[in-house]
Amino acid sequence: MNGADEVVAAPGGPPPALDWKFSQVFGERTAGEEVQEVDIISAIEFDKTGDHLATGDRGGRVVLFERTDTKDNGGSRRDLERMDYSIRHPEFRYKTEFQSHEPEFDYLKSLEIEEKINKIRWCQTANGALFLLSTNDKTIKFWKVQEKKVKKVSEMNVDPSKTVANGSVASSSSLSSPKTHLANGACQSFSSLSNDISFPPGGIPLLRLPQVTSHETSLVARCRRVYAHAHDYHINSISNNSDGETFISADDLRINLWNLEISSQSFNIVDVKPTNMEDLTEVITSAEFHPTHCNTLAYSSSKGSIRLIDLRQSALCDSHAKLFEEQEAPGARSFFTEIIASISDIKFAKDGRYILSRDYMTLKLWDINMDSGPVTTFQVHEYLRPKLCDLYENDSIFDKFECCLSGDGLRVATGSYSNLFRVFGCGPGSTEATTLEASKNPMRRQVQTPSRPSRSLSSSITRVVRRGAESPGVDANGNCFDFTTKLLHLAWHPTENSIACAAANSLYMYYA
């Protein structure tokens, strides 16, 4: 079930639905506790190994977590108890945190720049150090996090058996003013040199040079490079290239290509800004490099389309290699059509064959070899269609939900309101559609209504539409949905069935 890297049929039919269990929570709120705006999590990202997890928040901080269950703890009782389980789920612990961005003010445009972290991307590790990119609306930073040994000056030219009266040895601060340490532990200052310096008879019997020793280690985060002044509009995406040397950053109208080693210049590879801004009809909403082909990247637009571009075609990629969009049903157009069609996030599958996109109402899975339409469409917010007017009035219709795929490509996940998130099976014949709540009891709000696949296109191309609870604003248990609590950010572990998701300032982790 977990071994395949593509969306392929399992020998015995579709894999069974996963049974999700609570694993951990960091930053859990107590009942009635008010959440500070700066503590709300705004980005989540696993590294490629799955051994490290990073989160960013609205206060400009990046918090790192490291996996602990893979380390050898010497055969403790806890390890022995774990052997009884057929599945070992990832366990993480807090590693370190640092202030990545500070609030700024653009005096030329009279614009306040938030410190909020929009995206985090892990880079290749080197020499035991962790590297990552983080960005706010305008500035991208390249961080190196490494363990540094704390060095201390230990031995001085003092006989430890004959220390000064208070029992303390001369500290390293005494190095600032040169002193001669005598055999009996006393010291004589050289601050005023004179010719009548007296030495004990026979000279100093023992001379100890200061020694620097390392007793403990501490994690130090250092900003290696700052990539700034390249975007006139807010940065919505950054993505590493598989070549390990370059990355892209995207704002509403442009995509820039950077070299990690060069922060002074970037190359503009996509520019959708019209000559006259009144002619602007769509903006870039998300962009990502192909996981293995360093010349290929995809970006989505506010009109619900995805463009695949090839960097080998031209320096400025005005024309796309492929265009993926779904044809609008006749007579279905309304005032909200374009708003809910806007894609908020795209992700490549691990093998690069499929692209997952999230718009306000649905998740769509696209095959890059088939541009006639999505392979599969998952209904996420269909129950909200009668409430679009209300959602427009309170701006909830503009919420940007992220999406993610499992490492084996057999499942997809995305967030919703009331701190709920949905997991769908996307293998052939799968009807898996699970709703979970970001809490210690994820199945508490489980929607019992089975998903109903409806097939169309009798040819070999099958589109499957799955629906969960359809009652507007109320789930299967009769609970009203809360549009103020929304689960926007989540990430799937790259090799295991484990999901990390953010509910306000709390980070919840689940496994199956």
Side-chain angles (χ1 to χ4, degrees), residues 190-370:
F190 278 7
S191 57
S192 56
L193 291 175
S194 60
N195 295 327
D196 56 352
I197 297 176
S198 59
F199 291 92
I204 300 175
L206 184 63
L207 179 65
R208 286 190 182 88
L209 293 175
Q211 288 188 356
V212 178
T213 58
S214 301
H215 293 284
E216 58 203 33
T217 60
S218 67
L219 280 164
V220 178
R222 191 161 63 93
C223 183
R224 295 289 303 274
R225 285 174 193 87
V226 177
Y227 312 91
H229 313 302
H231 288 278
D232 291 330
Y233 305 94
H234 290 176
I235 298 171
N236 55 49
S237 305
I238 52 175
S239 179
N240 306 78
N241 198 345
S242 58
D243 62 9
E245 296 179 357
T246 56
F247 71 94
I248 54 169
S249 57
D251 64 22
D252 292 342
L253 298 179
R254 293 188 177 97
I255 300 177
N256 292 332
L257 178 68
W258 301 83
N259 188 300
L260 281 167
E261 301 295 325
I262 303 170
S263 59
S264 58
Q265 64 175 347
S266 63
F267 297 96
N268 178 225
I269 55 175
V270 175
D271 189 347
V272 300
K273 184 178 180 180
T275 307
N276 184 356
M277 284 295 283
E278 291 181 0
D279 299 330
L280 182 67
T281 58
E282 63 180 332
V283 295
I284 298 168
T285 56
S286 183
E288 187 169 82
F289 260 119
H290 189 283
T292 55
H293 298 165
C294 61
N295 56 285
T296 305
L297 63 94
Y299 70 91
S300 59
S301 82
S302 57
K303 276 194 169 181
S305 61
I306 301 172
R307 290 173 173 85
L308 201 68
I309 61 174
D310 190 338
L311 297 177
R312 298 172 298 186
Q313 288 184 342
S314 63
L316 183 62
C317 301
D318 289 325
S319 60
H320 50 265
K322 284 189 178 180
L323 174 66
F324 305 96
E325 59 183 354
E326 190 169 27
Q327 297 303 317
E328 190 179 307
R333 189 167 185 81
S334 71
F335 172 77
F336 304 108
T337 300
E338 280 197 18
I339 300 175
I340 62 176
S342 177
I343 295 175
S344 56
D345 190 27
I346 59 170
K347 292 284 194 311
F348 272 100
K350 192 175 181 180
D351 63 349
R353 170 74 183 273
Y354 296 90
I355 299 174
L356 180 69
S357 68
R358 171 71 205 264
D359 56 47
Y360 189 72
M361 305 296 283
T362 66
L363 267 177
K364 292 185 175 76
L365 190 68
W366 308 79
D367 186 337
I368 64 170
N369 296 330
M370 188 186 83

Side-chain angles (χ1 to χ4, degrees), residues 1-4 8-16 410 428:
M1 183 176 72
N2 295 326
V8 294
L410 294 177

Side-chain angles (χ1 to χ4, degrees), residues 49 60 68 75 87 113-114 117-118 134 154 171 181 199 232 263 270 274 289 325 367 429:
T49 65
T68 59
I87 299 176
I113 303 170
E114 284 185 304
I117 304 297
N118 289 344
S134 62
S154 57
S171 67
H181 294 273
F199 291 92
D232 291 330
S263 59
V270 175
F289 260 119
E325 59 183 354
D367 186 337

Side-chain angles (χ1 to χ4, degrees), residues 64 96 98 128-131 143-147 219-222:
L64 304 185
T96 188
F98 55 91
L130 303 173
F131 294 89
W143 291 91
K144 178 182 181 180
V145 181
Q146 190 175 29
E147 283 191 348
L219 280 164
V220 178
R222 191 161 63 93

